[in-house]
Amino acid sequence: MNETISPLALPGFVRQRLFDTDAAMAPALAAAVADALRSGLAGRGCASLAVSGGRSPIPFLEALSAETLDWSRVTVTLVDERWVAPDSVDSNEALVRRHLLQGRAAAARFVPLKTPVESPEAGVAGALTLRAELPQPFDAVVLGMGEDGHTASLFPDAAGLAAALDMTGDAELTCIHPPVAPHARITLTLAGLLATQRLFVQAGGAKKREVLERAAILGDPLQLPVAAVLQQRKVVPELFFCA
């Protein structure tokens, strides 16, 4: 625990690791995720990882790509994807290929969520078929969070959000049309996100600290979807937070 940063006001079961800067947090998160993957490799001979897109994860993804492990036995996928071409600047797949699947990690297998059909609704079946090829459960899922409290592509006020947040639901993937963000999305549901050995949440800054604390203690998951992650006990959330 970084004693220069006060712990966030979160439920006691949430594990917190606090850092002064993202430059310090990124390699620590990479090391923790690599350890989770090594456990999978040791226990079942293969490992799987689901990561998030956006700008915030880039230092972590680059640090993880340099970790020494048998990447040829690791399968990487996404927690969510915009329904755009895989080479689009808005594609999470493109970001992961550019910043994670490099160097040692280039040997990993990548399983996309985007398929070559017109809409995410039409693509769910194909994405589920691809997901079935992953070692399950995941060894690690790494989430981010927006200032509106969304995580993966589980956005506040989105149609179908309540069903996507149902921990007991059978659906692992769903389609989301964010009310305010561009592009239709395909995303893991809460049940899909919790099908993992370890669950990491990466965030930083004063605004996100306030959102995390509000979400974890009193937040309505329909208004702050990250609350569903922080309030559940099925998989202990591990928060990596930088000031």
Side-chain angles (χ1 to χ4, degrees), residues 115-191:
T115 56
V117 296
E118 183 177 352
S119 69
E121 286 81 4
V124 166
L128 284 170
T129 298
L130 290 171
R131 175 165 158 68
E133 301 174 8
L134 290 162
Q136 297 183 40
F138 294 115
D139 294 286
V141 167
V142 186
L143 296 172
M145 185 197 73
E147 292 187 353
D148 62 354
H150 85 265
T151 190
S153 279
L154 303 172
F155 281 84
D157 301 320
L161 179 62
L165 293 177
D166 182 359
M167 286 177 57
T168 65
D170 294 329
E172 296 179 339
L173 286 170
T174 193
C175 306
I176 292 287
H177 294 262
V180 295
H183 306 302
R185 319 285 180 103
I186 188 168
T187 184
L188 290 176
T189 62
L190 180 61

Coordinates of all heavy atoms in Angstrom, one line a residue, residues 115-191:
T115 N -16.9 -9.5 -35.6 CA -16.9 -10.4 -36.7 C -17.4 -9.7 -38.0 O -18.0 -8.6 -37.9 CB -17.9 -11.6 -36.4 OG1 -19.2 -11.1 -36.1 CG2 -17.3 -12.4 -35.3
P116 N -17.2 -10.2 -39.2 CA -17.5 -9.5 -40.4 C -18.9 -9.5 -40.8 O -19.3 -9.9 -41.9 CB -16.6 -10.1 -41.4 CG -16.5 -11.5 -41.0 CD -16.4 -11.4 -39.5
V117 N -19.8 -9.0 -39.9 CA -21.2 -8.9 -40.2 C -21.6 -7.5 -39.9 O -20.9 -6.7 -39.3 CB -22.1 -9.9 -39.4 CG1 -21.7 -11.3 -39.8 CG2 -21.9 -9.7 -37.9
E118 N -22.8 -7.1 -40.3 CA -23.2 -5.7 -40.3 C -23.4 -5.1 -38.9 O -23.1 -3.9 -38.7 CB -24.6 -5.6 -41.1 CG -25.1 -4.2 -41.2 CD -26.3 -4.1 -42.0 OE1 -26.7 -5.1 -42.6 OE2 -26.9 -3.0 -42.1
S119 N -23.9 -5.9 -37.9 CA -24.2 -5.3 -36.6 C -23.8 -6.2 -35.5 O -23.6 -7.4 -35.7 CB -25.8 -5.1 -36.6 OG -26.4 -6.4 -36.5
P120 N -23.7 -5.7 -34.3 CA -23.3 -6.5 -33.2 C -24.4 -7.6 -32.9 O -24.1 -8.7 -32.5 CB -23.1 -5.6 -32.0 CG -23.8 -4.3 -32.4 CD -23.7 -4.2 -33.9
E121 N -25.7 -7.2 -33.1 CA -26.7 -8.1 -32.9 C -26.5 -9.4 -33.8 O -26.7 -10.5 -33.4 CB -28.1 -7.5 -33.2 CG -28.6 -6.5 -32.2 CD -27.9 -5.1 -32.3 OE1 -27.2 -4.9 -33.2 OE2 -28.2 -4.3 -31.4
A122 N -26.2 -9.1 -35.1 CA -25.9 -10.2 -36.0 C -24.6 -11.0 -35.7 O -24.4 -12.1 -36.1 CB -25.9 -9.7 -37.4
G123 N -23.7 -10.3 -34.9 CA -22.4 -10.9 -34.6 C -22.3 -11.7 -33.3 O -21.3 -12.3 -33.1
V124 N -23.3 -11.6 -32.5 CA -23.2 -12.2 -31.2 C -22.9 -13.7 -31.3 O -22.1 -14.3 -30.6 CB -24.5 -12.0 -30.3 CG1 -24.5 -12.9 -29.1 CG2 -24.5 -10.5 -29.9
A125 N -23.7 -14.4 -32.2 CA -23.5 -15.9 -32.3 C -22.1 -16.2 -32.7 O -21.5 -17.1 -32.1 CB -24.5 -16.4 -33.3
G126 N -21.5 -15.5 -33.7 CA -20.2 -15.7 -34.1 C -19.2 -15.5 -33.0 O -18.2 -16.2 -32.9
A127 N -19.4 -14.4 -32.3 CA -18.5 -14.0 -31.2 C -18.5 -15.1 -30.1 O -17.5 -15.4 -29.5 CB -18.8 -12.7 -30.6
L128 N -19.7 -15.6 -29.8 CA -19.8 -16.7 -28.8 C -19.1 -18.0 -29.3 O -18.5 -18.7 -28.5 CB -21.3 -17.0 -28.6 CG -22.1 -16.0 -27.7 CD1 -23.5 -16.3 -27.7 CD2 -21.5 -16.1 -26.2
T129 N -19.2 -18.3 -30.6 CA -18.4 -19.4 -31.1 C -16.9 -19.2 -30.9 O -16.2 -20.1 -30.5 CB -18.7 -19.6 -32.6 OG1 -20.1 -19.8 -32.7 CG2 -18.0 -20.8 -33.2
L130 N -16.4 -18.0 -31.2 CA -15.0 -17.7 -31.0 C -14.7 -17.8 -29.5 O -13.6 -18.4 -29.1 CB -14.7 -16.3 -31.5 CG -14.7 -16.2 -33.0 CD1 -14.6 -14.7 -33.4 CD2 -13.6 -17.0 -33.7
R131 N -15.6 -17.3 -28.6 CA -15.3 -17.3 -27.2 C -15.2 -18.7 -26.7 O -14.5 -19.0 -25.7 CB -16.4 -16.5 -26.5 CG -16.3 -16.5 -24.9 CD -17.1 -15.5 -24.3 NE -17.4 -15.8 -22.9 CZ -16.5 -15.8 -21.9 NH1 -15.3 -15.6 -22.1 NH2 -16.9 -16.1 -20.7
A132 N -16.0 -19.6 -27.3 CA -15.9 -21.0 -26.8 C -14.6 -21.7 -27.0 O -14.3 -22.7 -26.4 CB -17.0 -21.8 -27.5
E133 N -13.7 -21.1 -27.8 CA -12.4 -21.6 -28.0 C -11.4 -21.2 -27.0 O -10.3 -21.6 -26.9 CB -11.9 -21.1 -29.4 CG -12.8 -21.6 -30.6 CD -12.3 -21.0 -31.9 OE1 -11.2 -20.4 -31.9 OE2 -13.0 -21.1 -32.9
L134 N -11.8 -20.2 -26.1 CA -11.0 -19.7 -25.0 C -10.9 -20.7 -23.9 O -11.9 -21.3 -23.5 CB -11.5 -18.4 -24.5 CG -11.4 -17.2 -25.4 CD1 -12.3 -16.1 -24.9 CD2 -10.0 -16.7 -25.5
P135 N -9.7 -20.8 -23.3 CA -9.6 -21.5 -22.0 C -10.5 -20.8 -21.0 O -10.4 -19.6 -20.8 CB -8.1 -21.4 -21.6 CG -7.4 -21.1 -22.9 CD -8.4 -20.3 -23.7
Q136 N -11.4 -21.5 -20.4 CA -12.4 -20.9 -19.4 C -12.3 -21.6 -18.1 O -12.1 -22.8 -18.1 CB -13.8 -21.0 -20.0 CG -13.9 -20.2 -21.3 CD -15.3 -20.3 -21.9 OE1 -16.3 -20.2 -21.2 NE2 -15.4 -20.4 -23.2
P137 N -12.5 -20.9 -17.0 CA -12.7 -19.4 -17.0 C -11.4 -18.7 -17.3 O -10.3 -19.3 -17.4 CB -13.1 -19.2 -15.5 CG -12.4 -20.3 -14.7 CD -12.4 -21.5 -15.7
F138 N -11.6 -17.4 -17.5 CA -10.4 -16.5 -17.7 C -9.4 -16.7 -16.5 O -9.9 -16.9 -15.4 CB -10.8 -15.1 -17.9 CG -11.6 -14.7 -19.1 CD1 -12.8 -14.3 -19.0 CD2 -11.0 -14.9 -20.3 CE1 -13.6 -13.9 -20.1 CE2 -11.7 -14.5 -21.5 CZ -13.0 -14.1 -21.4
D139 N -8.2 -16.5 -16.8 CA -7.2 -16.4 -15.6 C -7.2 -14.9 -15.1 O -6.9 -14.7 -13.9 CB -5.9 -16.8 -16.1 CG -5.9 -18.3 -16.4 OD1 -5.9 -19.1 -15.5 OD2 -5.9 -18.7 -17.6
A140 N -7.5 -14.0 -16.0 CA -7.5 -12.6 -15.6 C -8.4 -11.8 -16.5 O -8.4 -12.0 -17.7 CB -6.1 -12.0 -15.5
V141 N -9.2 -10.9 -15.9 CA -10.0 -9.9 -16.6 C -9.5 -8.5 -16.1 O -9.4 -8.3 -14.9 CB -11.5 -10.1 -16.4 CG1 -12.3 -8.9 -16.9 CG2 -12.0 -11.3 -17.1
V142 N -9.2 -7.6 -17.0 CA -8.7 -6.3 -16.6 C -9.7 -5.3 -17.1 O -9.9 -5.1 -18.4 CB -7.3 -6.0 -17.2 CG1 -6.8 -4.7 -16.6 CG2 -6.4 -7.1 -16.8
L143 N -10.3 -4.5 -16.2 CA -11.4 -3.5 -16.6 C -10.8 -2.1 -16.3 O -10.0 -1.9 -15.5 CB -12.6 -3.7 -15.7 CG -13.4 -5.1 -15.9 CD1 -14.4 -5.2 -14.8 CD2 -14.0 -5.1 -17.2
G144 N -11.3 -1.2 -17.1 CA -11.2 0.2 -16.8 C -12.5 0.8 -16.4 O -13.5 0.0 -16.1
M145 N -12.6 2.1 -16.2 CA -13.8 2.7 -15.9 C -13.9 4.1 -16.4 O -12.9 4.9 -16.4 CB -14.0 2.8 -14.3 CG -15.4 3.3 -13.9 SD -15.4 3.9 -12.2 CE -14.4 5.4 -12.3
G146 N -15.0 4.5 -17.0 CA -15.2 5.9 -17.4 C -15.7 6.8 -16.3 O -16.2 6.3 -15.3
E147 N -15.6 8.1 -16.5 CA -16.1 9.0 -15.5 C -17.6 9.0 -15.3 O -18.1 9.5 -14.3 CB -15.6 10.5 -15.8 CG -14.1 10.6 -15.7 CD -13.6 12.1 -15.9 OE1 -14.5 12.9 -16.2 OE2 -12.4 12.3 -15.7
D148 N -18.3 8.4 -16.2 CA -19.7 8.2 -16.0 C -20.0 6.9 -15.3 O -21.2 6.6 -15.1 CB -20.4 8.2 -17.4 CG -20.0 7.1 -18.3 OD1 -19.0 6.3 -18.0 OD2 -20.5 6.9 -19.4
G149 N -19.0 6.2 -14.9 CA -19.2 4.9 -14.2 C -19.4 3.7 -15.0 O -19.6 2.6 -14.5
H150 N -19.2 3.8 -16.4 CA -19.3 2.6 -17.2 C -18.0 1.8 -17.1 O -17.0 2.3 -16.8 CB -19.6 3.0 -18.7 CG -18.4 3.3 -19.5 ND1 -18.0 4.6 -19.7 CD2 -17.6 2.5 -20.2 CE1 -16.9 4.6 -20.5 NE2 -16.6 3.3 -20.8
T151 N -18.2 0.5 -17.3 CA -17.0 -0.4 -17.4 C -17.3 -1.4 -18.5 O -18.5 -1.7 -18.7 CB -16.7 -1.1 -16.0 OG1 -15.5 -1.8 -16.1 CG2 -17.8 -2.0 -15.6
A152 N -16.3 -1.9 -19.1 CA -16.5 -2.6 -20.4 C -17.4 -1.7 -21.3 O -17.1 -0.5 -21.3 CB -17.1 -4.0 -20.2
S153 N -18.4 -2.2 -21.9 CA -19.4 -1.3 -22.6 C -20.7 -1.4 -21.9 O -21.8 -1.3 -22.5 CB -19.5 -1.7 -24.1 OG -18.4 -1.1 -24.8
L154 N -20.7 -1.5 -20.6 CA -21.9 -1.4 -19.8 C -22.1 0.0 -19.4 O -21.6 0.5 -18.4 CB -21.8 -2.4 -18.6 CG -21.4 -3.8 -19.0 CD1 -21.1 -4.6 -17.7 CD2 -22.6 -4.4 -19.7
F155 N -22.9 0.7 -20.2 CA -23.1 2.2 -20.0 C -24.4 2.5 -19.2 O -25.4 1.8 -19.4 CB -23.2 2.9 -21.4 CG -21.8 3.1 -22.0 CD1 -21.3 2.1 -22.8 CD2 -21.2 4.3 -21.9 CE1 -20.0 2.2 -23.4 CE2 -20.0 4.5 -22.6 CZ -19.4 3.5 -23.3
P156 N -24.3 3.6 -18.4 CA -25.6 4.0 -17.7 C -26.7 4.3 -18.7 O -26.4 4.8 -19.8 CB -25.1 5.3 -17.0 CG -23.6 5.2 -16.9 CD -23.2 4.4 -18.1
D157 N -27.9 3.9 -18.4 CA -29.1 4.2 -19.1 C -29.2 3.5 -20.5 O -30.0 3.8 -21.3 CB -29.2 5.7 -19.3 CG -29.3 6.5 -18.0 OD1 -30.0 6.0 -17.1 OD2 -28.7 7.5 -17.9
A158 N -28.3 2.6 -20.7 CA -28.4 1.9 -22.0 C -29.5 0.8 -22.0 O -29.7 0.2 -21.0 CB -27.0 1.2 -22.3
A159 N -30.1 0.7 -23.1 CA -31.2 -0.4 -23.2 C -30.5 -1.7 -23.0 O -29.5 -2.0 -23.5 CB -31.8 -0.3 -24.6
G160 N -31.2 -2.5 -22.2 CA -30.7 -3.9 -21.9 C -29.6 -4.0 -20.8 O -29.1 -5.1 -20.6
L161 N -29.4 -2.8 -20.2 CA -28.3 -2.8 -19.1 C -28.7 -3.7 -18.0 O -27.9 -4.5 -17.4 CB -28.1 -1.4 -18.6 CG -27.0 -1.3 -17.5 CD1 -25.7 -1.8 -18.0 CD2 -26.9 0.2 -17.0
A162 N -30.0 -3.7 -17.5 CA -30.4 -4.5 -16.4 C -30.1 -6.0 -16.6 O -29.6 -6.7 -15.7 CB -31.8 -4.2 -16.0
A163 N -30.4 -6.4 -17.8 CA -30.2 -7.9 -18.1 C -28.7 -8.1 -18.2 O -28.3 -9.2 -17.7 CB -30.9 -8.2 -19.4
A164 N -27.9 -7.2 -18.7 CA -26.5 -7.4 -18.8 C -25.8 -7.5 -17.5 O -24.7 -8.0 -17.3 CB -25.9 -6.3 -19.7
L165 N -26.4 -6.8 -16.4 CA -25.9 -6.8 -15.1 C -26.4 -7.9 -14.2 O -26.0 -8.0 -13.0 CB -26.1 -5.5 -14.4 CG -25.4 -4.2 -15.1 CD1 -25.9 -3.0 -14.3 CD2 -23.9 -4.4 -15.0
D166 N -27.2 -8.8 -14.8 CA -27.7 -9.9 -14.0 C -26.7 -11.0 -13.8 O -26.3 -11.7 -14.8 CB -29.0 -10.5 -14.7 CG -29.6 -11.6 -13.9 OD1 -29.1 -12.0 -12.9 OD2 -30.6 -12.2 -14.4
M167 N -26.1 -11.1 -12.6 CA -25.1 -12.1 -12.3 C -25.5 -13.5 -12.6 O -24.7 -14.4 -12.8 CB -24.6 -12.0 -10.9 CG -23.7 -10.8 -10.6 SD -23.3 -10.6 -8.9 CE -22.5 -12.2 -8.6
T168 N -26.8 -13.8 -12.5 CA -27.3 -15.1 -12.6 C -27.8 -15.5 -14.1 O -28.2 -16.5 -14.3 CB -28.5 -15.4 -11.7 OG1 -29.6 -14.5 -12.1 CG2 -28.2 -15.1 -10.3
G169 N -27.6 -14.5 -15.0 CA -28.0 -14.7 -16.3 C -27.1 -15.6 -17.1 O -26.0 -15.9 -16.7
D170 N -27.7 -16.2 -18.2 CA -26.9 -17.2 -19.0 C -26.1 -16.5 -20.0 O -25.1 -17.1 -20.5 CB -27.9 -18.1 -19.6 CG -28.6 -19.0 -18.6 OD1 -28.1 -19.3 -17.6 OD2 -29.8 -19.4 -18.9
A171 N -26.4 -15.3 -20.4 CA -25.7 -14.6 -21.5 C -24.4 -14.1 -21.1 O -24.2 -13.5 -20.0 CB -26.6 -13.4 -22.0
E172 N -23.4 -14.5 -21.8 CA -22.0 -14.0 -21.6 C -21.6 -12.8 -22.4 O -20.7 -12.0 -22.0 CB -21.0 -15.1 -21.9 CG -21.2 -16.4 -21.0 CD -20.2 -17.4 -21.4 OE1 -19.7 -17.4 -22.5 OE2 -19.9 -18.3 -20.5
L173 N -22.3 -12.6 -23.5 CA -22.1 -11.4 -24.4 C -23.4 -10.8 -24.7 O -24.5 -11.4 -24.7 CB -21.5 -11.9 -25.7 CG -20.0 -12.3 -25.7 CD1 -19.6 -12.9 -27.0 CD2 -19.1 -11.1 -25.4
T174 N -23.4 -9.5 -24.9 CA -24.6 -8.8 -25.3 C -24.2 -7.6 -26.1 O -23.0 -7.2 -26.2 CB -25.4 -8.3 -24.0 OG1 -26.7 -7.9 -24.4 CG2 -24.7 -7.2 -23.3
C175 N -25.2 -7.0 -26.8 CA -25.0 -5.8 -27.6 C -25.5 -4.5 -26.8 O -26.5 -4.6 -26.1 CB -25.8 -5.8 -28.8 SG -25.5 -7.3 -29.8
I176 N -24.8 -3.5 -26.9 CA -25.1 -2.2 -26.2 C -25.0 -1.1 -27.2 O -24.0 -1.0 -27.9 CB -24.1 -2.0 -25.0 CG1 -24.4 -3.0 -23.9 CG2 -24.3 -0.5 -24.5 CD1 -25.6 -2.8 -23.1
H177 N -26.0 -0.2 -27.2 CA -26.0 1.0 -27.9 C -25.9 2.2 -26.9 O -26.9 2.6 -26.4 CB -27.2 1.1 -28.8 CG -27.3 0.1 -29.9 ND1 -26.8 0.3 -31.2 CD2 -27.6 -1.2 -29.9 CE1 -27.0 -0.8 -31.9 NE2 -27.5 -1.7 -31.1
P178 N -24.7 2.7 -26.6 CA -24.5 3.7 -25.6 C -25.3 4.9 -25.9 O -25.3 5.4 -27.1 CB -23.0 4.0 -25.6 CG -22.4 2.8 -26.2 CD -23.4 2.3 -27.2
P179 N -26.0 5.5 -24.9 CA -26.8 6.7 -25.2 C -26.0 7.9 -25.6 O -26.5 8.8 -26.3 CB -27.5 7.0 -23.8 CG -27.5 5.7 -23.1 CD -26.2 5.0 -23.6
V180 N -24.7 8.0 -25.1 CA -23.9 9.2 -25.4 C -22.6 8.9 -26.1 O -22.0 9.8 -26.7 CB -23.7 10.0 -24.1 CG1 -25.0 10.5 -23.5 CG2 -22.9 9.1 -23.1
A181 N -22.1 7.7 -26.1 CA -20.8 7.4 -26.7 C -21.1 6.9 -28.1 O -22.1 6.3 -28.4 CB -20.1 6.3 -25.9
P182 N -20.1 7.1 -29.0 CA -20.3 6.6 -30.4 C -20.1 5.1 -30.6 O -19.5 4.5 -29.7 CB -19.1 7.4 -31.2 CG -18.1 7.6 -30.1 CD -18.8 7.8 -28.8
H183 N -20.7 4.6 -31.6 CA -20.6 3.2 -32.1 C -21.4 2.2 -31.2 O -21.4 2.3 -30.0 CB -19.1 2.8 -32.1 CG -18.2 3.6 -32.9 ND1 -18.4 3.9 -34.2 CD2 -17.1 4.3 -32.5 CE1 -17.5 4.7 -34.6 NE2 -16.7 5.0 -33.6
A184 N -22.1 1.4 -31.9 CA -22.7 0.2 -31.2 C -21.5 -0.7 -30.7 O -20.4 -0.7 -31.2 CB -23.6 -0.5 -32.2
R185 N -21.8 -1.5 -29.7 CA -20.8 -2.3 -29.0 C -21.3 -3.7 -28.8 O -22.4 -4.0 -28.7 CB -20.4 -1.7 -27.6 CG -20.4 -0.2 -27.5 CD -19.1 0.4 -28.1 NE -19.0 1.8 -28.0 CZ -18.3 2.5 -27.1 NH1 -17.5 1.8 -26.2 NH2 -18.2 3.8 -27.1
I186 N -20.3 -4.6 -28.7 CA -20.5 -5.9 -28.1 C -19.6 -6.0 -26.9 O -18.5 -5.5 -26.8 CB -20.1 -7.0 -29.2 CG1 -20.6 -8.4 -28.6 CG2 -18.7 -7.0 -29.5 CD1 -20.5 -9.5 -29.7
T187 N -20.2 -6.6 -25.8 CA -19.5 -6.5 -24.5 C -19.8 -7.8 -23.7 O -20.9 -8.4 -23.9 CB -20.0 -5.3 -23.7 OG1 -19.2 -5.2 -22.5 CG2 -21.5 -5.3 -23.4
L188 N -18.9 -8.2 -22.9 CA -19.1 -9.2 -21.9 C -20.2 -8.7 -20.9 O -20.1 -7.5 -20.5 CB -17.9 -9.6 -21.2 CG -16.8 -10.3 -22.0 CD1 -15.6 -10.6 -21.1 CD2 -17.3 -11.7 -22.4
T189 N -21.1 -9.5 -20.5 CA -22.0 -9.1 -19.5 C -21.3 -9.2 -18.1 O -20.1 -9.7 -18.1 CB -23.2 -10.1 -19.5 OG1 -22.7 -11.4 -19.2 CG2 -23.9 -10.1 -20.8
L190 N -22.0 -8.9 -17.1 CA -21.4 -9.0 -15.7 C -21.1 -10.5 -15.5 O -20.0 -10.8 -15.0 CB -22.3 -8.5 -14.7 CG -21.8 -8.6 -13.2 CD1 -20.5 -7.8 -13.0 CD2 -22.9 -8.2 -12.2
A191 N -22.0 -11.4 -15.9 CA -21.7 -12.8 -15.7 C -20.5 -13.2 -16.5 O -19.7 -14.1 -16.0 CB -22.9 -13.6 -16.1

